[in-house]
Amino acid sequence: MSPEPESRRHDNVDHAEVHKFAHRAREWWDPNGAFATLHAINPLRLEWIDQHAGLEGKTVVDVGCGAGILSETMAVRGARVTGLDAGAEHLEVAREHATEAGLKIHYLHTTAEAHAEHHAGAYDIVTCLEMLEHVPDPEAVIDALVRLVRPGGWLFLSTINRTPRAFAEAIVGAEYVLNMLPTGTHEYARFIRPSELGTALRRHGFRVTAMTGLTYSPLNGQYRLVPRTDVNYLMAARREETAGPA
Ligand code: SAH
């Protein structure tokens, strides 16, 4: 029997989850389509990342990049961006869209785990937004993300907290009442508490430097950054300059 290819050995991918994103590949860039929420929150998270880490001239990898909603805007701010995703269909859409926009982004069909094997410490900034709640073993992804960051570099994560309020707002509200997300987008048990991420990051020699909540107001249809992190949140962490292996 031939040995398994590298990407299979590291297959911490829930293919049913990736399919949810892939079968709507053509909708990714429709601001009113299934990914409208990602379009709506993008300016807020882009600004937050840029304020903390400064994107201009930085080497960035965007893990679980989808069709490139965040990747493209980071490239526009002057970052050299690589985007990774487990879904081939939406990566194809990402490539076409970047070409049309005249942006040079390096898109790779792979996982954080496989990429980290040969790119340890290669990035000033690693982003992994709205992905951890879709993978079977988020800790294994975090182990790979931290390895990709150079000493002194930044890691940005976003996901959904595991609280009753997140269940009410992110699943019942967003999927069933307001129809902001396709039903079945999220599963409560996969939500992750900020303390769980923080503990994992500190173990790898990272310091959590900032955290913000992200909230939607059905009254005016707007998203805002807010102090409370009990539903959607973003976390910034920095790898210690002198720390041992990540
Ligand atoms: N980060 C983007 C897209 C979030 S949607 C944004 O915030 O705009 C989640 C994405 O993660 C999908 O594109 C899905 O294909 C991808 N994904 C899920 N599991 C993955 C894995 N294990 N490795 C890489 N990408 C994954």
Side-chain angles (χ1 to χ4, degrees), residues 12-13 18 21 28 38 45 64 66 85-86 90 129-131 135:
N12 178 22
V13 176
V18 171
F21 297 98
W28 269 91
L38 297 176
R45 58 194 193 171
D85 203 284
H90 35 294
L129 307 190
E130 313 304 327
M131 185 194 110
V135 298

Side-chain angles (χ1 to χ4, degrees), residues 8 16 25 66 79-80 83 90 101 113 117 122-123 141 148 160 173 178 184 200 207 218 223-224 229 236 245:
R8 277 283 159 195
R80 280 192 304 278
H90 35 294
E113 290 93 325
E117 293 226 327
Y123 295 96
V141 175
L148 290 164
I160 307 175
L178 302 172
R207 214 160 22 90
Y223 284 89
R224 280 182 306 134
T229 53

